[in-house]
Amino acid sequence: MALDDERFASLLRDLEAESDDLVAVASGLPAPQWALGTPAESWSVHDQVVHLAYFGDLATLGFTDPHAFRASTEALRATGPDWVDQVNEQRRALPPEATLRWFADSRATLGRVLAKVGPGARTAWFGPSMSAASCATARLMETWAHGQDIYDALGLEHPLTDRVRHVCHLGVITREFAFAQRGLQAPRVAVRLELIAPSGEPWTWGPADAADRVTGTANDFALVVTQRRHRADTSLRATPGTAEEWLRVAQAFAGAAGTGRSPGTFRGQHTGQSAADEGWQ
């Protein structure tokens, strides 16, 4: 169901706030910390910000100049299978201050364009076309996920906010896609998802009477569907079978199946709200 103008405006505010949080953290970093490695193999803090800025610009181009967007993406893909990494490699000499300014400007421009075109406007992307509402949700998810890599590299806690609901929702609606990316048929079985939001509010998806279910915190679910944590390093609980299999393959992002994080990488580390603290038994 398409978002109405009020909910779309709220989504855009959440995207802006998630971006502002990341800018605030990065703006205080000395230059050497921009070169720190993140949990994403071979990606530094600098690479993470470049990635967000670059694809934010592409998203804007899709709405403002579709012909230029097609030319840019075709040229990008023609550079080889590692084209995503090449985006970073070609910009590693860009100073941190300029990189951060690029990201902030890119995100502000995209926000203005999305607000102007409205939630139902469509753009081409890497795969099927998508609406402006889907674009905003995807950019928020990417900001949250790549931001998590930066917070992890710096040893900082990712701020817990109910903006993570957008990431969770994307993780739910991409369930079939995640299986397909691995050449698998998604089970035709409904799964009940019961999460506790950072604010303590219960969030649910799927039929209340479904036998297959996942329970835990919204933050842990978002970490799993963005592949920033292995399922074993979270407090999520899943019934055996379909629900557990979903967590094994989940990915809320477009593109090829990701490798995620190895189990044990973050074991014993605090990942935000605790399911036990929020009343899960």
Side-chain angles (χ1 to χ4, degrees), residues 63-138:
F63 287 102
T64 59
D65 192 340
H67 178 74
F69 172 85
R70 286 192 296 273
S72 295
T73 54
E74 287 171 5
L76 187 60
R77 285 170 155 164
T79 61
D82 63 340
W83 55 268
V84 173
D85 293 322
Q86 288 191 47
V87 169
N88 297 334
E89 182 65 35
Q90 294 165 6
R91 292 159 180 81
R92 289 214 166 106
L94 191 65
E97 302 82 10
T99 303
L100 185 58
R101 187 166 57 251
W102 177 23
F103 170 63
D105 291 346
S106 170
R107 189 49 52 84
T109 300
L110 177 60
R112 289 193 296 270
V113 168
L114 291 175
K116 181 178 180 180
V117 300
R122 301 196 69 82
T123 180
W125 196 240
F126 296 87
S129 66
M130 61 179 175
S131 68
S134 293
C135 176
T137 304

Side-chain angles (χ1 to χ4, degrees), residues 246-261:
W246 177 24
L247 294 184
R248 186 180 68 80
V249 304
Q251 70 173 74
F253 50 87
T259 57
R261 307 289 180 256

Side-chain angles (χ1 to χ4, degrees), residues 56-237:
D57 281 354
L58 270 185
T60 294
L61 198 61
F63 287 102
T64 59
D65 192 340
H67 178 74
F69 172 85
R70 286 192 296 273
S72 295
T73 54
E74 287 171 5
L76 187 60
R77 285 170 155 164
T79 61
D82 63 340
W83 55 268
V84 173
D85 293 322
Q86 288 191 47
V87 169
N88 297 334
E89 182 65 35
Q90 294 165 6
R91 292 159 180 81
R92 289 214 166 106
L94 191 65
E97 302 82 10
T99 303
L100 185 58
R101 187 166 57 251
W102 177 23
F103 170 63
D105 291 346
S106 170
R107 189 49 52 84
T109 300
L110 177 60
R112 289 193 296 270
V113 168
L114 291 175
K116 181 178 180 180
V117 300
R122 301 196 69 82
T123 180
W125 196 240
F126 296 87
S129 66
M130 61 179 175
S131 68
S134 293
C135 176
T137 304
R139 299 328 303 160
L140 193 155
M141 178 275 295
E142 286 273 312
T143 306
W144 189 93
H146 290 281
Q148 181 66 52
D149 290 333
I150 293 172
Y151 287 110
D152 285 335
L154 299 173
L156 301 175
E157 290 293 335
H158 196 157
L160 289 171
T161 76
D162 280 7
R163 297 192 297 266
V164 76
R165 183 183 179 92
H166 302 293
V167 183
C168 294
H169 183 69
L170 199 54
V172 171
I173 65 175
T174 54
R175 179 182 159 208
E176 289 190 11
F177 167 80
F179 278 95
Q181 290 304 93
R182 290 159 179 77
L184 302 171
Q185 178 69 45
R188 299 299 181 186
V189 177
V191 177
R192 173 73 167 183
L193 179 62
E194 298 181 347
L195 302 175
I196 296 296
S199 64
E201 180 184 355
W203 292 341
T204 62
W205 289 262
D209 60 352
D212 297 272
R213 54 189 54 220
V214 174
T215 60
T217 68
N219 196 61
D220 275 350
F221 183 73
L223 288 168
V224 169
V225 299
T226 57
Q227 297 188 3
R228 265 51 191 182
R229 294 290 185 274
H230 190 277
R231 178 256 185 280
D233 290 348
T234 71
S235 62
L236 292 178
R237 297 181 181 179

